[in-house]
Amino acid sequence: MDMAWFKDFAATTKDLAQVAQQHVGDLHKKGSQLTEKLATTVIASSSSDKKDCEFNDGPLGFELEGGLVVAVEAGSQACTLGVEIGDRLVEIAGYKVPTFKPGDMGGEDVANKKMLKWLKEMPRPGRLTFAIPRPASLGEEACSLTGEDASSVMPGACAGEVNTTDEDTA
């Protein structure tokens, strides 16, 4: 009798694991789509829309999601160098960050692996280049994705400006 209970438990656990894996896949896909929609607001055509940052030894101080900066640690190198949430990493030590089409999970995985490898192997001091988003478009895009007023998603977005302070990124 105890063996039957164990077999039922094992089968239930396997089913739950499959359901959880499906949810993880769905969340990853939706996150990828959101990242790509936000990334389309980046202008990378002129040098004034990019910023080069030279990082020294130690933690960089920012987090990426598909090449998009999603967090900047207060007081970090990234914060000091002016990296902001919404910036897109486009170049690592002279290597162009690979691009991929929205929804291309394989392309995104390849790009993420290359970015992580290049960031890890980057000699210090090392140069990272970020494309700067257009704030008004970023706010408008956030509104269309969330159905909310832009000012509630990104304060100042409706006025064409986004003020990212250390409080916002802490």
Side-chain angles (χ1 to χ4, degrees), residues 98-158:
T99 57
F100 50 91
K101 293 183 180 184
D104 178 5
M105 302 290 282
E108 182 178 0
D109 284 343
V110 168
N112 286 337
K113 286 177 183 176
K114 284 185 178 183
M115 282 189 291
L116 289 174
K117 180 179 188 278
W118 293 341
L119 286 169
K120 184 179 179 181
E121 295 174 353
M122 179 178 73
R124 306 288 182 93
R127 184 169 304 277
L128 301 179
T129 302
F130 296 88
I132 304 168
R134 289 184 290 182
S137 295
L138 188 58
E140 291 164 10
E141 186 64 37
C143 293
S144 69
L145 292 173
T146 64
E148 298 181 42
D149 179 281
S151 61
S152 68
V153 177
M154 300 179 128
C158 291

Side-chain angles (χ1 to χ4, degrees), residues 38-53 64 67-69 82-91 97 128-135 138:
L38 288 173
T40 60
T41 63
V42 175
I43 304 172
S45 59
S46 76
S47 61
S48 65
D49 295 326
K50 293 183 182 178
K51 57 182 152 189
D52 290 322
C53 301
L64 294 171
L68 189 69
V69 176
V83 176
E84 297 180 89
I85 293 174
D87 290 351
R88 173 162 289 285
L89 184 61
V90 295
E91 200 171 303
V97 171
L128 301 179
T129 302
F130 296 88
I132 304 168
R134 289 184 290 182
L138 188 58

